[in-house]
Amino acid sequence: MPTQSKKVYLSPSSLYAFIDRAHDKHAQASAYFRYFSEEEYLLYMDVINLNQTYEIIFKKMSPSLAKDFLRIVALSDINILTPEESEIKATFKTVSNYNSMDLTFSEALMAVVASKRNITTICTFDYLHPLYGLNTFYLPI
C-alpha cells in the first residue's frame, strides 16, 4: 500500500471556513485542522492565498481579525511559499492553455506551486480544477 503524503496545500476557502465560526463548513474545517495537528501534517500556502484569505477576513469579518490572522500565521507552522519565476511562467502557460474559462490565476498558481514542490493534496471547499494530478483533501474514514 502506497504511503500517503503528509503535505497539504491550504486554499483560502479552507482557512476562511476554519476562522469564521458562522461559516457552513466551519465544523468540517475544524475537523481538518485538528486532524492535521494530530497526524503532524506539513501545511503550505503561497503568498497569493495568504493575501486572499486576509482580504476575505478583512471584508467579511473585521480588519482587526484580519490583522490577528496574519499574526497567527506568522507564529504557526504553516509554510509560506513564494512562487519562483519559473512557476509564474508555468502558471501563465497553464491559464492560457486550459480549456475552461473559470480557472483563475491564483488557482493555477496554487496548482503549479503544489505540483512543483511535490504536494499532491489541496485542502479546499471550492472546485479543484483537474491539474497536475492534484487531489482534494478528505478525512480518512
Side-chain angles (χ1 to χ4, degrees), residues 72-138:
I72 290 166
V73 169
L75 296 172
S76 75
D77 287 336
I78 297 173
N79 298 291
I80 308 298
L81 304 174
T82 304
E84 297 173 2
E85 184 177 353
S86 63
E87 293 167 333
I88 293 172
K89 288 181 179 180
T91 302
F92 293 151
K93 271 184 162 177
T94 301
V95 170
S96 60
N97 293 333
Y98 193 65
N99 293 333
S100 177
M101 298 304 281
D102 64 343
L103 177 66
T104 65
F105 178 81
S106 61
E107 292 168 335
L109 181 66
M110 180 172 60
V112 168
V113 171
S115 174
K116 297 273 184 181
R117 309 211 185 183
N118 296 319
I119 305 167
T120 59
T121 308
I122 308 287
C123 183
T124 185
F125 294 117
D126 297 329
Y127 173 72
L128 182 64
H129 295 272
L131 295 168
Y132 305 107
L134 299 174
N135 300 304
T136 302
F137 177 82
Y138 295 104

Side-chain angles (χ1 to χ4, degrees), residues 25-95:
K25 300 281 188 183
H26 175 73
Q28 189 175 356
S30 293
Y32 284 175
F33 282 91
R34 188 172 26 262
Y35 182 78
F36 294 151
S37 175
E38 290 170 359
E39 298 297 319
E40 299 180 0
Y41 271 66
L42 297 172
L43 303 178
Y44 297 88
M45 68 185 310
D46 60 60
V47 293
I48 304 284
N49 284 356
L50 177 65
N51 183 54
Q52 284 181 334
T53 307
Y54 172 82
E55 286 181 358
I56 293 167
I57 296 167
F58 187 94
K59 291 176 184 171
K60 292 187 175 186
M61 297 179 82
S62 79
S64 63
L65 186 59
K67 189 176 181 180
D68 287 343
F69 164 73
L70 290 181
R71 195 173 301 127
I72 290 166
V73 169
L75 296 172
S76 75
D77 287 336
I78 297 173
N79 298 291
I80 308 298
L81 304 174
T82 304
E84 297 173 2
E85 184 177 353
S86 63
E87 293 167 333
I88 293 172
K89 288 181 179 180
T91 302
F92 293 151
K93 271 184 162 177
T94 301
V95 170

